[in-house]
Amino acid sequence: MNTQSKRKAALAGVLAALALLLALGGAAALAQGSAKPASILTVCPPPGTGCDYTTIQAAINNAGAGDTIRIAAGTYTENLTVTLPITLEGGYSGPPDWTRSLTLYETIVDGSGSPTTPGDWDGDQISFPRVISDSGQYRMWYNGQSLTASGWGWALGLAASPDGLTWTKDGGNPVLEPGSDGEWDSAYRGQVAVLQEGGLYKMWYSGSDGGPWQTGYATSTNGLDWNIYAGNPVLPVGGGGSWDEQEASAPTVIQDGGLYKMWYHGCTPDYSLCSVGYATSTNGLDWTKYAGNPVLTGTVGGWDEGVVMWP
């Protein structure tokens, strides 16, 4: 099993342990025992044969407190508003049997406001968004994948929004693609952290050549055209036998009192253990890993046992 497959298996383990319970209001009415018996509503992409609705929002609008909405595999281009405690369940095959598998049946909500078209560079998946507030608007860098592209098919895109709800993808996408053959990040660049300081955008990104996943650095004056740091990776994996021997990636970075602080995830080679680590830097380039790493691990016997990833 290659590292991409192991990563997917690790993610599937996390998703299988999570239920998306949205409880944004109305809980008091349930406690008083006045609610109707819970119902199950179904959603399929158009034409929606055999399902109650063709959009998730339509199902939400017609759901009652405590209802469950089962969503068939597909990409749903919409933004969701929830005002009652309901349960949304994705990963279903759809009618007639409604088999559920989070690895076989992907349910994707694309809230970008710009529909994704099969065959586009991001036509098969959009994930790992990173958003900053910048000059009166929001800017989002996100991973996109096309299964028809060479290699793993991943690249990085940019979108902008005036309100955080309606997004417009940049016409120059993708803004960052994998490195050249032979480079440490030749198979993948993505899962980024971005800071804007004094007119300069600073990006820390995950990279891989198909082997270890490490963290690199790039800069830009406009958020579109990126200069890759020649000294990459700036946060390499640990040595043999360390908790982050296979991965030191998926960074989250803040600047606090003149010190850059990074939280990242590390994994062992077989992905049986993934945890969150911490590192600091005075310039964003030279990082010192915390001696007490990892700082966040799974709970033995708990829902997150073994895998704590993507801080």
Side-chain angles (χ1 to χ4, degrees):
M1 182 182 291
N2 60 31
T3 59
Q4 183 76 340
S5 298
K6 290 178 180 177
R7 267 185 144 225
K8 288 183 177 179
L11 176 58
V14 174
L15 293 177
L18 293 174
L20 178 58
L21 177 61
L22 302 179
L24 302 182
L30 283 177
Q32 294 170 2
S34 59
K36 67 178 180 63
S39 300
I40 296 177
L41 292 74
T42 57
V43 181
C44 293
T49 304
C51 288
D52 298 320
Y53 304 97
T54 58
T55 69
I56 302 172
Q57 188 63 58
I60 292 172
N61 293 344
N62 288 277
D67 285 353
T68 295
I69 298 175
R70 291 181 177 174
I71 309 166
T75 297
Y76 299 82
T77 305
E78 52 183 308
N79 295 294
L80 305 180
T81 300
V82 182
T83 59
L84 291 173
I86 59 175
T87 299
L88 300 179
E89 295 181 346
Y92 283 98
S93 62
D97 54 354
W98 287 93
T99 301
R100 194 180 194 199
S101 171
L102 296 174
T103 55
L104 294 178
Y105 308 116
E106 287 190 335
T107 302
I108 301 170
V109 179
D110 175 10
S112 67
S114 301
T116 294
T117 303
D120 287 352
W121 73 274
D122 59 354
D124 289 290
Q125 188 171 156
I126 289 177
S127 59
F128 298 111
R130 189 69 72 176
V131 179
I132 67 170
S133 178
D134 182 17
S135 302
Q137 66 174 347
Y138 297 100
R139 304 187 87 185
M140 175 198 294
W141 290 265
Y142 64 93
N143 280 26
Q145 185 184 35
S146 170
L147 297 179
T148 61
S150 60
W152 293 345
W154 288 103
L156 189 73
L158 175 65
S161 171
D163 56 9
L165 299 174
T166 303
W167 292 89
T168 301
K169 298 176 183 177
D170 193 88
N173 281 337
V175 299
L176 189 67
E177 299 184 81
S180 302
D181 290 345
E183 294 185 309
W184 71 278
D185 53 2
S186 59
Y188 181 90
R189 287 174 177 166
Q191 290 172 270
V192 305
V194 178
L195 296 179
Q196 202 266 10
E197 297 179 342
L200 186 67
Y201 295 88
K202 301 179 179 181
M203 175 191 289
W204 295 265
Y205 67 90
S206 303
S208 176
D209 60 359
W213 294 69
Q214 306 179 93
T215 297
Y217 177 71
T219 58
S220 172
T221 57
N222 57 13
L224 295 169
D225 306 302
W226 292 92
N227 297 310
I228 305 299
Y229 177 56
N232 280 334
V234 295
L235 190 77
V237 293
S242 62
W243 71 279
D244 58 354
E245 179 183 354
Q246 177 61 30
E247 292 211 25
S249 60
T252 289
V253 179
I254 65 171
Q255 210 267 15
D256 183 14
L259 188 67
Y260 292 95
K261 300 179 179 181
M262 176 192 294
W263 291 266
Y264 66 97
H265 81 229
C267 295
T268 55
D270 62 357
Y271 286 88
S272 62
L273 179 64
C274 293
S275 305
V276 174
Y278 174 68
T280 58
S281 172
T282 57
N283 58 10
L285 299 174
D286 304 302
W287 291 88
T288 300
K289 295 180 181 179
Y290 175 55
N293 277 337
V295 297
L296 186 66
T297 59
T299 302
V300 176
W303 66 271
D304 58 353
E305 181 177 14
V307 178
V308 177
M309 305 176 75
W310 296 298

